Amino acid sequence: MSATIQQQIERRRTFAIISHPDAGKTTLTEKFLLFGGAIQTAGAVKNNKITKTAASDFMEIERQRGISVATSVMAFHYKDLLINLLDTPGHKDFAEDTYRTLTAVDSVILVIDCVKGVEPQTERLMEVCRMRNTPVIVFINKMDLEGRDPMDLLDEVEAKLDIQVRPLSWPISQGHTFQGVYNLYEKSLRLFQADKTKVAKEVIAIDDLEDQALDDLVGNHATQLREDVELIEGVYEDWEPQPYLEGRMAPVFFGSAVNNFGVQEMLDTFVEIAPNPRPRPTSTRDVAPNEPKFSGFVFKIHANIDPKHRDRIAFLRVCSGTFKRNTFYQHTRLEKKLKFANPATFLAQEKSVVEEAWPGDVVGLYDTGNFKIGDTLTEGETFQFRGIPSFSPEIFKELVNKDPMKSKQLDKGIEQLTDEGVAQLFIREAGNRKIVGTVGELQFEVIQYRLEHEYGAACEFQAKPYSKACWIESDNEAKLGEFRRIKANDIVRDKDGLEVYLAPSQFMLTMEIQNYPEITFHFTSEFKTAQEAQG
Ligand code: G4P
């Protein structure tokens, strides 16, 4: 008998590994795939990193992004579970892709470099996790290097990431005297051998840290370990899964990804404690994964950069029921029925056609332009999944048409590219000006190139002196009207027609927030509750 939907849900863990570039995300991903048997040798994962490429060489970047389609989702089996690991781009300029991918996972593993500690991108990623109370496990990596003191690192994580922490493993020394980790969860010791290919096998159970065996194994580091463990057990509350599942507390593991050390402990604990697919809010109600009817949403769209094949792959996260090949589903925004002949899955890094998919799974749908980020498919019911907001871009430029004969192509091109999530488009009503917002300079080059090669439109960009977009609303029409008049040049509409104020600086924004207490300034596009959106 085939597994029930509830059994399918319980088998699944859908998560992402996130980090500031260079902390070790790619390396850790590779080790997980090795444990899952999805790859056989180290070095098999194509490095999805773009950091070492000059900004002007964006064709190379797009080529690398092409490679990353295959690694966008890496499904593998571990123990009796099916793990869906969603990849996120390492390059800062593609941060928004990462934020959106986080809307499709049920938990994350956050990698921190023990030498560098909490870095800027780590903080921003954590803010996004906090918006949805996503459960987070922290992996402090590179313990084979002379890094910061583990206690200090824990304090920094708590302070900068504003989350309670609870170490579940503890390093015995670090850098060139790194001995191994003590697993506080299972009370066992694993000794370190620097080895990039093998898996550290030797696990020594130590029920009593006073045992002389500990001194025999780690020499004079034993005393320090005893003191550290006593301190940890005194300072930190007992481990409980509930605060973790509610996104209030992060268990912490120490290790060295490149040496495959401390990774298996974390993976074993991860599969035990990480949540399986949970109910998700929509514009009308919460949808439970075990509802029999299928629903899902698109969180990422990948375009084919070959102009001869202008097809795209829309990545859909299944949220409830069973997705089936060649079955008509309702595209709730377009109010149109669509079916998919060749939906793709990504088991063991190979794209293959899938017949059925379950909550937590990601399927790749070939698309000729029907989808934009956030679109929902159902078996007929009308709702939109929520929790897929736009964030404020950081760089703003006006799109200027260089060829008046091609303005239709330009309009169509920029609309499709922004549907894919390459950038955000804001329209200033006065003069119908188009302002494009991104998180990195790279996207402007990508847009210009793609508009020319895929749509035959020529454009240039003029820098705008904005630094932040805020979605505004108010019950006080008079005040809002006054603000609109005074700020006429800086008020635009986003893709959904919502009103946005573009602030020239954080200072100005703070001033306006003080001057206009009647107006609410939102920092993401999704601020209405389900009821309000309906009303
Ligand atoms: P990222 O995806 O987060 O950007 O990081 P990635 O895994 O690519 O790792 C960044 C660098 O850190 C790599 O070195 C990698 O080998 C190294 N690294 C990862 N884990 C550890 C660890 O536990 N200890 C030490 N000492 N280094 C680690 P690279 O020189 O940039 O690349 P490569 O030539 O080694 O591939």
Side-chain angles (χ1 to χ4, degrees):
M1 205 186 76
S2 65
T4 64
I5 182 162
Q6 191 58 37
Q7 287 166 331
Q8 295 285 6
I9 293 166
E10 280 164 17
R11 283 181 62 208
R12 278 164 171 77
R13 302 285 183 276
T14 300
F15 80 112
I17 301 180
I18 54 178
S19 74
H20 189 94
D22 268 350
K25 178 177 74 71
T26 312
T27 313
L28 187 64
T29 301
E30 181 174 284
K31 302 304 169 188
F32 275 13
L33 296 180
L34 275 172
F35 284 119
I39 55 172
Q40 266 64 50
T41 51
V45 176
K46 294 277 182 303
N47 199 333
N48 183 15
K49 264 201 317 187
I50 311 172
T51 40
K52 283 161 198 150
T53 314
S56 59
D57 193 8
F58 67 91
M59 271 313 287
E60 172 60 9
I61 288 156
E62 281 294 296
R63 193 187 63 74
Q64 293 187 22
R65 266 164 68 77
I67 292 171
S68 77
V69 172
T71 59
S72 283
V73 184
M74 290 160 278
F76 61 94
H77 293 284
Y78 186 69
K79 300 190 169 168
D80 292 332
L81 302 174
L82 178 69
I83 318 271
N84 293 306
L85 169 50
L86 274 50
D87 194 24
T88 56
H91 197 292
K92 171 189 153 298
D93 284 11
F94 294 99
E96 192 147 354
D97 267 10
T98 302
Y99 303 155
R100 282 192 295 258
T101 298
L102 293 182
T103 65
V105 301
D106 300 307
S107 70
V108 306
I109 292 179
L110 176 65
V111 185
I112 294 176
D113 180 329
C114 76
V115 182
K116 296 190 179 141
V118 173
E119 296 176 82
Q121 191 62 8
T122 331
E123 289 184 62
R124 302 177 76 221
L125 289 163
M126 190 65 203
E127 276 169 32
V128 179
C129 292
R130 193 168 305 104
M131 288 175 62
R132 296 180 52 243
N133 300 324
T134 307
V136 176
I137 292 178
V138 173
F139 183 70
I140 300 193
N141 190 27
K142 308 198 184 180
M143 291 307 292
D144 57 314
L145 300 181
E146 304 294 333
R148 310 244 301 269
D149 176 71
M151 288 287 182
D152 291 349
L153 282 165
L154 291 182
D155 288 347
E156 186 183 58
V157 170
E158 278 203 332
K160 285 201 178 158
L161 302 185
D162 192 19
I163 189 161
Q164 240 184 300
V165 295
R166 175 63 167 96
L168 287 187
S169 78
W170 195 251
I172 305 165
S173 190
Q174 66 194 102
H176 69 280
T177 57
F178 181 48
Q179 303 285 306
V181 287
Y182 180 66
N183 187 330
L184 294 155
Y185 187 59
E186 287 177 350
K187 305 214 181 312
S188 60
L189 190 71
R190 206 179 269 255
L191 295 181
F192 177 67
Q193 296 162 287
D195 189 330
K196 295 192 181 171
T197 51
K198 277 200 223 117
V199 174
K201 285 237 162 52
E202 200 133 345
V203 184
I204 304 137
I206 303 243
D207 292 330
D208 181 3
L209 279 177
E210 296 307 320
D211 196 327
Q212 175 63 32
L214 184 67
D215 301 79
D216 300 342
L217 288 164
V218 299
N220 51 12
H221 296 288
T223 316
Q224 183 70 42
L225 176 66
R226 289 183 184 115
E227 282 172 19
D228 286 348
V229 171
E230 197 183 328
L231 189 67
I232 293 161
E233 302 295 353
V235 171
Y236 294 99
E237 286 176 25
D238 285 351
W239 158 252
E240 294 276 354
Q242 204 50 33
Y244 156 69
L245 292 171
E246 290 167 7
R248 292 186 284 116
M249 189 269 291
V252 180
F253 290 84
F254 291 84
S256 167
V258 79
N259 290 299
N260 215 344
F261 194 80
V263 175
Q264 191 164 13
E265 280 89 345
M266 180 170 64
L267 181 58
D268 286 345
T269 314
F270 167 82
V271 295
E272 218 175 283
I273 66 174
N276 46 37
R278 298 192 285 185
R280 285 184 168 252
T282 74
S283 52
T284 59
R285 64 187 183 86
D286 283 0
V287 170
N290 58 2
E291 291 183 17
K293 290 199 171 158
F294 157 75
S295 67
F297 69 89
V298 170
F299 64 94
K300 173 175 173 149
I301 294 174
H302 207 294
N304 191 335
I305 55 159
D306 180 350
K308 289 195 262 353
H309 303 98
R310 211 195 280 164
D311 55 344
R312 319 193 278 185
I313 299 181
F315 291 84
L316 176 117
R317 146 104 196 198
V318 180
C319 296
S320 69
T322 315
F323 170 91
K324 294 198 170 92
R325 187 166 90 93
N326 267 333
T327 304
F328 276 105
Y329 292 120
Q330 178 78 2
H331 185 308
T332 61
R333 180 176 58 86
L334 299 180
E335 297 179 8
K336 154 169 163 183
K337 294 217 176 299
L338 297 174
K339 70 172 178 178
F340 305 92
N342 295 305
T345 54
F346 306 88
L347 198 61
Q349 285 203 290
E350 277 172 23
K351 249 191 328 178
S352 55
V353 172
V354 64
E355 293 295 331
E356 284 186 337
W358 305 88
D361 288 345
V362 172
V363 286
L365 306 175
Y366 291 95
D367 174 41
T368 48
N370 284 311
F371 286 116
K372 58 179 180 177
I373 306 276
D375 279 346
T376 297
L377 288 182
T378 70
E379 282 193 29
E381 192 176 339
T382 302
F383 58 72
Q384 288 275 331
F385 277 97
R386 298 183 54 78
I388 311 138
S390 304
F391 300 90
S392 174
E394 289 167 24
I395 305 174
F396 298 82
K397 292 187 185 189
E398 185 173 332
L399 178 71
V400 181
N401 188 359
K402 282 210 310 197
D403 182 354
M405 304 295 287
K406 298 279 175 62
S407 56
K408 267 210 183 108
Q409 285 88 332
L410 185 76
D411 286 355
K412 180 163 182 245
I414 194 70
E415 196 182 314
Q416 291 203 349
L417 294 187
T418 47
D419 283 355
E420 278 173 28
V422 176
Q424 289 182 55
L425 179 64
F426 301 101
I427 310 274
R428 196 169 86 197
E429 275 162 0
N432 193 29
R433 294 188 183 272
K434 293 188 172 62
I435 296 175
V436 175
T438 69
V439 289
E441 285 289 347
L442 262 176
Q443 272 93 338
F444 291 104
E445 283 186 55
V446 172
I447 294 167
Q448 201 169 21
Y449 180 91
R450 290 189 54 193
L451 283 174
E452 191 182 328
H453 289 83
E454 294 173 33
Y455 299 90
C459 75
E460 62 186 16
F461 288 102
Q462 277 174 8
K464 287 275 155 195
Y466 298 122
S467 69
K468 191 114 189 161
C470 282
W471 284 260
I472 52 172
E473 61 165 358
S474 175
D475 294 335
N476 187 330
E477 256 315 307
K479 273 286 170 197
L480 196 57
E482 178 191 314
F483 188 72
R484 274 192 201 114
R485 262 194 318 282
I486 295 174
K487 298 284 169 198
N489 279 335
D490 308 329
I491 305 263
V492 291
R493 298 227 171 236
D494 77 356
K495 63 178 178 5
D496 300 317
L498 298 173
E499 207 164 25
V500 175
Y501 165 56
L502 300 181
S505 64
Q506 184 59 46
F507 176 75
M508 281 295 286
L509 180 59
T510 313
M511 292 248 299
E512 301 308 348
I513 293 173
Q514 274 170 12
N515 293 343
Y516 288 90
E518 304 83 359
I519 298 178
T520 317
F521 295 78
H522 299 278
F523 296 98
T524 71
S525 64
E526 204 170 72
F527 47 84
K528 288 188 164 67
T529 63
Q531 286 81 357
E532 282 167 348
Q534 278 180 306

